[in-house]
Amino acid sequence: TQLLEQSPQFLSIQEGENLTVYCNSSSVFSSLQWYRQEPGEGPVLLVTVVTGGEVKKLKRLTFQFGDARKDSSLHITAAQPGDTGLYLCAGGTGNQFYFGTGTSLTVIP
Amino acid sequence: EAQVTQNPRYLITVTGKKLTVTCSQNMNHEYMSWYRQDPGLGLRQIYYSMNVEVTDKGDVPEGYKVSRKEKRNFPLILESPSPNQTSLYFCASKRPGLALNEQFFGPGTRLTVL
């Protein structure tokens, strides 16, 4: 089983603060995705990274794929209450997908 | 509206009583998949299907069955549910081919097995 570990598991911060979430694995993935999930809903894709060292920005969110394609990070600048949710990384190999353990983020107004 | 639908959304049942959770997508996606989500474990893939009549085991297939007789439907069957199958279940679909293609998830089915 390929395991993706995320840290921290829980994060509670004040509005306006910056934060970074990490996703680490002992396995190499052909692509890595970040999803955000809100209570009572299914995950929704934020970004896909495919190239080692790749950096993608989505407004205040910055995603990075490690050079060895085993790890990734998500950095949020000036967090807002609307960023509250569960953040999941997912690695794809062929037709199977492996999800991380999730980071539950709460942004306090 | 492009979507993945699941039914029922909530289900409470007893050990050993066969049940089926339905999943349907209207995006003409070849690839469909079932996941279960448990606290501290993230989402784990149960089964996936590359196309009609083609299914494969994911990471945690024990105790589950699936079928893919039509492109749009991918039901999850629990022949003899047990309490350790109490979980939140998600169905997803995507275009085939590359793993980087976006998966579209249903709203989830919360199952409790007593």
Side-chain angles (χ1 to χ4, degrees), chain A residues 69-98:
Chain A
R69 292 188 293 142
K70 289 183 178 182
D71 55 87
S72 180
S73 64
L74 157 60
H75 182 79
I76 301 179
T77 303
Q80 298 177 1
D83 295 328
T84 293
L86 179 67
Y87 290 81
L88 297 158
C89 63
T93 57
N95 300 314
Q96 285 194 258
F97 289 87
Y98 300 90

PDB file of all heavy atoms in Angstrom, chain A residues 69-98:
ATOM      1  N   ARG A  69       9.328  13.880  -6.862  1.00  0.00           N
ATOM      2  CA  ARG A  69       7.915  13.549  -7.059  1.00  0.00           C
ATOM      3  C   ARG A  69       7.392  12.605  -5.979  1.00  0.00           C
ATOM      4  O   ARG A  69       6.563  11.715  -6.247  1.00  0.00           O
ATOM      5  CB  ARG A  69       7.674  12.961  -8.448  1.00  0.00           C
ATOM      6  CG  ARG A  69       7.873  14.003  -9.545  1.00  0.00           C
ATOM      7  CD  ARG A  69       7.453  13.481 -10.901  1.00  0.00           C
ATOM      8  NE  ARG A  69       8.311  12.416 -11.355  1.00  0.00           N
ATOM      9  CZ  ARG A  69       7.884  11.354 -12.025  1.00  0.00           C
ATOM     10  NH1 ARG A  69       6.627  11.202 -12.284  1.00  0.00           N
ATOM     11  NH2 ARG A  69       8.735  10.442 -12.416  1.00  0.00           N
ATOM     12  N   LYS A  70       7.885  12.800  -4.760  1.00  0.00           N
ATOM     13  CA  LYS A  70       7.383  12.001  -3.647  1.00  0.00           C
ATOM     14  C   LYS A  70       6.641  12.858  -2.630  1.00  0.00           C
ATOM     15  O   LYS A  70       5.985  12.323  -1.741  1.00  0.00           O
ATOM     16  CB  LYS A  70       8.551  11.325  -2.914  1.00  0.00           C
ATOM     17  CG  LYS A  70       9.228  10.212  -3.677  1.00  0.00           C
ATOM     18  CD  LYS A  70      10.294   9.596  -2.793  1.00  0.00           C
ATOM     19  CE  LYS A  70      10.985   8.440  -3.469  1.00  0.00           C
ATOM     20  NZ  LYS A  70      12.001   7.825  -2.572  1.00  0.00           N
ATOM     21  N   ASP A  71       6.784  14.161  -2.726  1.00  0.00           N
ATOM     22  CA  ASP A  71       6.174  15.013  -1.721  1.00  0.00           C
ATOM     23  C   ASP A  71       5.665  16.294  -2.347  1.00  0.00           C
ATOM     24  O   ASP A  71       6.052  16.670  -3.460  1.00  0.00           O
ATOM     25  CB  ASP A  71       7.177  15.328  -0.609  1.00  0.00           C
ATOM     26  CG  ASP A  71       8.452  15.923  -1.173  1.00  0.00           C
ATOM     27  OD1 ASP A  71       8.496  17.155  -1.342  1.00  0.00           O
ATOM     28  OD2 ASP A  71       9.392  15.158  -1.435  1.00  0.00           O
ATOM     29  N   SER A  72       4.794  16.949  -1.614  1.00  0.00           N
ATOM     30  CA  SER A  72       4.207  18.182  -2.111  1.00  0.00           C
ATOM     31  C   SER A  72       3.839  19.064  -0.929  1.00  0.00           C
ATOM     32  O   SER A  72       3.712  18.592   0.202  1.00  0.00           O
ATOM     33  CB  SER A  72       2.962  17.873  -2.946  1.00  0.00           C
ATOM     34  OG  SER A  72       2.370  19.054  -3.449  1.00  0.00           O
ATOM     35  N   SER A  73       3.680  20.338  -1.204  1.00  0.00           N
ATOM     36  CA  SER A  73       3.251  21.260  -0.161  1.00  0.00           C
ATOM     37  C   SER A  73       2.216  22.215  -0.713  1.00  0.00           C
ATOM     38  O   SER A  73       2.176  22.499  -1.921  1.00  0.00           O
ATOM     39  CB  SER A  73       4.446  22.035   0.406  1.00  0.00           C
ATOM     40  OG  SER A  73       5.025  22.850  -0.590  1.00  0.00           O
ATOM     41  N   LEU A  74       1.387  22.682   0.203  1.00  0.00           N
ATOM     42  CA  LEU A  74       0.360  23.673  -0.114  1.00  0.00           C
ATOM     43  C   LEU A  74       0.553  24.831   0.849  1.00  0.00           C
ATOM     44  O   LEU A  74       0.504  24.635   2.068  1.00  0.00           O
ATOM     45  CB  LEU A  74      -1.035  23.051   0.059  1.00  0.00           C
ATOM     46  CG  LEU A  74      -2.217  24.000   0.314  1.00  0.00           C
ATOM     47  CD1 LEU A  74      -2.391  24.969  -0.834  1.00  0.00           C
ATOM     48  CD2 LEU A  74      -3.485  23.201   0.556  1.00  0.00           C
ATOM     49  N   HIS A  75       0.791  26.006   0.303  1.00  0.00           N
ATOM     50  CA  HIS A  75       0.985  27.193   1.124  1.00  0.00           C
ATOM     51  C   HIS A  75      -0.169  28.160   0.860  1.00  0.00           C
ATOM     52  O   HIS A  75      -0.494  28.436  -0.299  1.00  0.00           O
ATOM     53  CB  HIS A  75       2.319  27.872   0.783  1.00  0.00           C
ATOM     54  CG  HIS A  75       2.601  29.075   1.609  1.00  0.00           C
ATOM     55  ND1 HIS A  75       3.085  28.995   2.902  1.00  0.00           N
ATOM     56  CD2 HIS A  75       2.455  30.398   1.336  1.00  0.00           C
ATOM     57  CE1 HIS A  75       3.242  30.222   3.389  1.00  0.00           C
ATOM     58  NE2 HIS A  75       2.871  31.077   2.460  1.00  0.00           N
ATOM     59  N   ILE A  76      -0.785  28.619   1.945  1.00  0.00           N
ATOM     60  CA  ILE A  76      -1.865  29.602   1.829  1.00  0.00           C
ATOM     61  C   ILE A  76      -1.387  30.911   2.451  1.00  0.00           C
ATOM     62  O   ILE A  76      -0.947  30.932   3.611  1.00  0.00           O
ATOM     63  CB  ILE A  76      -3.159  29.126   2.521  1.00  0.00           C
ATOM     64  CG1 ILE A  76      -3.626  27.813   1.894  1.00  0.00           C
ATOM     65  CG2 ILE A  76      -4.242  30.193   2.398  1.00  0.00           C
ATOM     66  CD1 ILE A  76      -4.901  27.244   2.518  1.00  0.00           C
ATOM     67  N   THR A  77      -1.490  31.955   1.696  1.00  0.00           N
ATOM     68  CA  THR A  77      -1.103  33.292   2.164  1.00  0.00           C
ATOM     69  C   THR A  77      -2.341  34.053   2.622  1.00  0.00           C
ATOM     70  O   THR A  77      -3.369  34.021   1.944  1.00  0.00           O
ATOM     71  CB  THR A  77      -0.420  34.073   1.033  1.00  0.00           C
ATOM     72  OG1 THR A  77       0.712  33.328   0.561  1.00  0.00           O
ATOM     73  CG2 THR A  77       0.039  35.439   1.496  1.00  0.00           C
ATOM     74  N   ALA A  78      -2.221  34.708   3.763  1.00  0.00           N
ATOM     75  CA  ALA A  78      -3.323  35.531   4.289  1.00  0.00           C
ATOM     76  C   ALA A  78      -4.633  34.757   4.305  1.00  0.00           C
ATOM     77  O   ALA A  78      -5.597  35.116   3.607  1.00  0.00           O
ATOM     78  CB  ALA A  78      -3.451  36.816   3.471  1.00  0.00           C
ATOM     79  N   ALA A  79      -4.660  33.703   5.107  1.00  0.00           N
ATOM     80  CA  ALA A  79      -5.826  32.811   5.148  1.00  0.00           C
ATOM     81  C   ALA A  79      -7.101  33.574   5.497  1.00  0.00           C
ATOM     82  O   ALA A  79      -7.094  34.534   6.277  1.00  0.00           O
ATOM     83  CB  ALA A  79      -5.584  31.695   6.153  1.00  0.00           C
ATOM     84  N   GLN A  80      -8.201  33.103   4.896  1.00  0.00           N
ATOM     85  CA  GLN A  80      -9.512  33.694   5.129  1.00  0.00           C
ATOM     86  C   GLN A  80     -10.459  32.616   5.639  1.00  0.00           C
ATOM     87  O   GLN A  80     -10.244  31.428   5.384  1.00  0.00           O
ATOM     88  CB  GLN A  80     -10.034  34.296   3.825  1.00  0.00           C
ATOM     89  CG  GLN A  80      -9.150  35.415   3.285  1.00  0.00           C
ATOM     90  CD  GLN A  80      -9.643  35.951   1.956  1.00  0.00           C
ATOM     91  OE1 GLN A  80     -10.658  35.502   1.425  1.00  0.00           O
ATOM     92  NE2 GLN A  80      -8.913  36.909   1.412  1.00  0.00           N
ATOM     93  N   PRO A  81     -11.520  33.007   6.335  1.00  0.00           N
ATOM     94  CA  PRO A  81     -12.475  32.001   6.848  1.00  0.00           C
ATOM     95  C   PRO A  81     -13.007  31.078   5.763  1.00  0.00           C
ATOM     96  O   PRO A  81     -13.281  29.909   6.013  1.00  0.00           O
ATOM     97  CB  PRO A  81     -13.583  32.865   7.447  1.00  0.00           C
ATOM     98  CG  PRO A  81     -12.877  34.103   7.894  1.00  0.00           C
ATOM     99  CD  PRO A  81     -11.835  34.360   6.835  1.00  0.00           C
ATOM    100  N   GLY A  82     -13.121  31.563   4.550  1.00  0.00           N
ATOM    101  CA  GLY A  82     -13.580  30.729   3.439  1.00  0.00           C
ATOM    102  C   GLY A  82     -12.615  29.627   3.057  1.00  0.00           C
ATOM    103  O   GLY A  82     -12.971  28.733   2.292  1.00  0.00           O
ATOM    104  N   ASP A  83     -11.392  29.680   3.578  1.00  0.00           N
ATOM    105  CA  ASP A  83     -10.413  28.624   3.318  1.00  0.00           C
ATOM    106  C   ASP A  83     -10.627  27.429   4.239  1.00  0.00           C
ATOM    107  O   ASP A  83      -9.994  26.379   4.043  1.00  0.00           O
ATOM    108  CB  ASP A  83      -8.986  29.148   3.521  1.00  0.00           C
ATOM    109  CG  ASP A  83      -8.603  30.227   2.522  1.00  0.00           C
ATOM    110  OD1 ASP A  83      -9.093  30.164   1.377  1.00  0.00           O
ATOM    111  OD2 ASP A  83      -7.834  31.141   2.886  1.00  0.00           O
ATOM    112  N   THR A  84     -11.476  27.563   5.214  1.00  0.00           N
ATOM    113  CA  THR A  84     -11.752  26.472   6.154  1.00  0.00           C
ATOM    114  C   THR A  84     -12.234  25.240   5.405  1.00  0.00           C
ATOM    115  O   THR A  84     -13.078  25.331   4.522  1.00  0.00           O
ATOM    116  CB  THR A  84     -12.808  26.908   7.184  1.00  0.00           C
ATOM    117  OG1 THR A  84     -12.247  27.930   8.011  1.00  0.00           O
ATOM    118  CG2 THR A  84     -13.254  25.742   8.049  1.00  0.00           C
ATOM    119  N   GLY A  85     -11.659  24.097   5.765  1.00  0.00           N
ATOM    120  CA  GLY A  85     -12.057  22.853   5.115  1.00  0.00           C
ATOM    121  C   GLY A  85     -11.015  21.775   5.328  1.00  0.00           C
ATOM    122  O   GLY A  85     -10.020  21.979   6.014  1.00  0.00           O
ATOM    123  N   LEU A  86     -11.260  20.633   4.718  1.00  0.00           N
ATOM    124  CA  LEU A  86     -10.318  19.517   4.781  1.00  0.00           C
ATOM    125  C   LEU A  86      -9.536  19.481   3.480  1.00  0.00           C
ATOM    126  O   LEU A  86     -10.119  19.418   2.401  1.00  0.00           O
ATOM    127  CB  LEU A  86     -11.082  18.201   4.970  1.00  0.00           C
ATOM    128  CG  LEU A  86     -10.249  16.927   5.036  1.00  0.00           C
ATOM    129  CD1 LEU A  86      -9.396  16.922   6.307  1.00  0.00           C
ATOM    130  CD2 LEU A  86     -11.150  15.691   4.991  1.00  0.00           C
ATOM    131  N   TYR A  87      -8.225  19.523   3.585  1.00  0.00           N
ATOM    132  CA  TYR A  87      -7.351  19.517   2.416  1.00  0.00           C
ATOM    133  C   TYR A  87      -6.728  18.135   2.269  1.00  0.00           C
ATOM    134  O   TYR A  87      -6.139  17.608   3.215  1.00  0.00           O
ATOM    135  CB  TYR A  87      -6.281  20.596   2.534  1.00  0.00           C
ATOM    136  CG  TYR A  87      -6.868  21.985   2.396  1.00  0.00           C
ATOM    137  CD1 TYR A  87      -7.483  22.610   3.478  1.00  0.00           C
ATOM    138  CD2 TYR A  87      -6.848  22.644   1.172  1.00  0.00           C
ATOM    139  CE1 TYR A  87      -8.051  23.866   3.343  1.00  0.00           C
ATOM    140  CE2 TYR A  87      -7.410  23.904   1.034  1.00  0.00           C
ATOM    141  CZ  TYR A  87      -8.008  24.500   2.128  1.00  0.00           C
ATOM    142  OH  TYR A  87      -8.580  25.747   1.982  1.00  0.00           O
ATOM    143  N   LEU A  88      -6.870  17.589   1.082  1.00  0.00           N
ATOM    144  CA  LEU A  88      -6.404  16.229   0.808  1.00  0.00           C
ATOM    145  C   LEU A  88      -5.442  16.233  -0.364  1.00  0.00           C
ATOM    146  O   LEU A  88      -5.723  16.837  -1.394  1.00  0.00           O
ATOM    147  CB  LEU A  88      -7.585  15.321   0.466  1.00  0.00           C
ATOM    148  CG  LEU A  88      -8.628  15.099   1.547  1.00  0.00           C
ATOM    149  CD1 LEU A  88      -9.944  14.659   0.933  1.00  0.00           C
ATOM    150  CD2 LEU A  88      -8.143  14.059   2.541  1.00  0.00           C
ATOM    151  N   CYS A  89      -4.328  15.539  -0.217  1.00  0.00           N
ATOM    152  CA  CYS A  89      -3.469  15.308  -1.373  1.00  0.00           C
ATOM    153  C   CYS A  89      -3.767  13.904  -1.897  1.00  0.00           C
ATOM    154  O   CYS A  89      -4.214  13.029  -1.148  1.00  0.00           O
ATOM    155  CB  CYS A  89      -1.994  15.472  -1.022  1.00  0.00           C
ATOM    156  SG  CYS A  89      -1.344  14.315   0.198  1.00  0.00           S
ATOM    157  N   ALA A  90      -3.538  13.701  -3.167  1.00  0.00           N
ATOM    158  CA  ALA A  90      -3.811  12.404  -3.785  1.00  0.00           C
ATOM    159  C   ALA A  90      -2.768  12.125  -4.846  1.00  0.00           C
ATOM    160  O   ALA A  90      -2.503  12.974  -5.705  1.00  0.00           O
ATOM    161  CB  ALA A  90      -5.201  12.377  -4.402  1.00  0.00           C
ATOM    162  N   GLY A  91      -2.191  10.942  -4.771  1.00  0.00           N
ATOM    163  CA  GLY A  91      -1.194  10.546  -5.753  1.00  0.00           C
ATOM    164  C   GLY A  91      -1.774   9.511  -6.696  1.00  0.00           C
ATOM    165  O   GLY A  91      -2.501   8.618  -6.268  1.00  0.00           O
ATOM    166  N   GLY A  92      -1.464   9.675  -7.967  1.00  0.00           N
ATOM    167  CA  GLY A  92      -1.966   8.740  -8.968  1.00  0.00           C
ATOM    168  C   GLY A  92      -0.850   7.909  -9.555  1.00  0.00           C
ATOM    169  O   GLY A  92       0.221   8.433  -9.876  1.00  0.00           O
ATOM    170  N   THR A  93      -1.095   6.610  -9.660  1.00  0.00           N
ATOM    171  CA  THR A  93      -0.176   5.731 -10.383  1.00  0.00           C
ATOM    172  C   THR A  93      -1.030   4.857 -11.284  1.00  0.00           C
ATOM    173  O   THR A  93      -1.754   3.991 -10.796  1.00  0.00           O
ATOM    174  CB  THR A  93       0.647   4.842  -9.425  1.00  0.00           C
ATOM    175  OG1 THR A  93      -0.267   4.093  -8.621  1.00  0.00           O
ATOM    176  CG2 THR A  93       1.555   5.657  -8.545  1.00  0.00           C
ATOM    177  N   GLY A  94      -0.952   5.096 -12.565  1.00  0.00           N
ATOM    178  CA  GLY A  94      -1.810   4.332 -13.475  1.00  0.00           C
ATOM    179  C   GLY A  94      -3.262   4.633 -13.213  1.00  0.00           C
ATOM    180  O   GLY A  94      -3.692   5.781 -13.292  1.00  0.00           O
ATOM    181  N   ASN A  95      -4.004   3.598 -12.877  1.00  0.00           N
ATOM    182  CA  ASN A  95      -5.439   3.766 -12.679  1.00  0.00           C
ATOM    183  C   ASN A  95      -5.863   3.830 -11.216  1.00  0.00           C
ATOM    184  O   ASN A  95      -7.036   3.934 -10.919  1.00  0.00           O
ATOM    185  CB  ASN A  95      -6.182   2.605 -13.353  1.00  0.00           C
ATOM    186  CG  ASN A  95      -5.912   2.559 -14.837  1.00  0.00           C
ATOM    187  OD1 ASN A  95      -5.968   3.576 -15.494  1.00  0.00           O
ATOM    188  ND2 ASN A  95      -5.579   1.382 -15.345  1.00  0.00           N
ATOM    189  N   GLN A  96      -4.900   3.739 -10.309  1.00  0.00           N
ATOM    190  CA  GLN A  96      -5.229   3.776  -8.890  1.00  0.00           C
ATOM    191  C   GLN A  96      -4.849   5.107  -8.279  1.00  0.00           C
ATOM    192  O   GLN A  96      -3.910   5.769  -8.733  1.00  0.00           O
ATOM    193  CB  GLN A  96      -4.507   2.645  -8.155  1.00  0.00           C
ATOM    194  CG  GLN A  96      -5.144   1.291  -8.414  1.00  0.00           C
ATOM    195  CD  GLN A  96      -4.656   0.237  -7.447  1.00  0.00           C
ATOM    196  OE1 GLN A  96      -3.830  -0.581  -7.790  1.00  0.00           O
ATOM    197  NE2 GLN A  96      -5.161   0.257  -6.235  1.00  0.00           N
ATOM    198  N   PHE A  97      -5.589   5.456  -7.238  1.00  0.00           N
ATOM    199  CA  PHE A  97      -5.344   6.708  -6.538  1.00  0.00           C
ATOM    200  C   PHE A  97      -5.184   6.442  -5.051  1.00  0.00           C
ATOM    201  O   PHE A  97      -5.883   5.621  -4.479  1.00  0.00           O
ATOM    202  CB  PHE A  97      -6.512   7.676  -6.751  1.00  0.00           C
ATOM    203  CG  PHE A  97      -6.578   8.220  -8.147  1.00  0.00           C
ATOM    204  CD1 PHE A  97      -7.257   7.529  -9.131  1.00  0.00           C
ATOM    205  CD2 PHE A  97      -5.931   9.396  -8.475  1.00  0.00           C
ATOM    206  CE1 PHE A  97      -7.308   8.012 -10.425  1.00  0.00           C
ATOM    207  CE2 PHE A  97      -5.979   9.881  -9.762  1.00  0.00           C
ATOM    208  CZ  PHE A  97      -6.664   9.194 -10.743  1.00  0.00           C
ATOM    209  N   TYR A  98      -4.245   7.184  -4.465  1.00  0.00           N
ATOM    210  CA  TYR A  98      -3.983   7.064  -3.039  1.00  0.00           C
ATOM    211  C   TYR A  98      -4.089   8.446  -2.426  1.00  0.00           C
ATOM    212  O   TYR A  98      -3.411   9.385  -2.874  1.00  0.00           O
ATOM    213  CB  TYR A  98      -2.587   6.474  -2.806  1.00  0.00           C
ATOM    214  CG  TYR A  98      -2.434   5.115  -3.418  1.00  0.00           C
ATOM    215  CD1 TYR A  98      -1.992   4.966  -4.718  1.00  0.00           C
ATOM    216  CD2 TYR A  98      -2.777   3.968  -2.702  1.00  0.00           C
ATOM    217  CE1 TYR A  98      -1.875   3.710  -5.297  1.00  0.00           C
ATOM    218  CE2 TYR A  98      -2.659   2.709  -3.266  1.00  0.00           C
ATOM    219  CZ  TYR A  98      -2.215   2.594  -4.577  1.00  0.00           C
ATOM    220  OH  TYR A  98      -2.102   1.352  -5.137  1.00  0.00           O
TER     221      TYR A  98
END
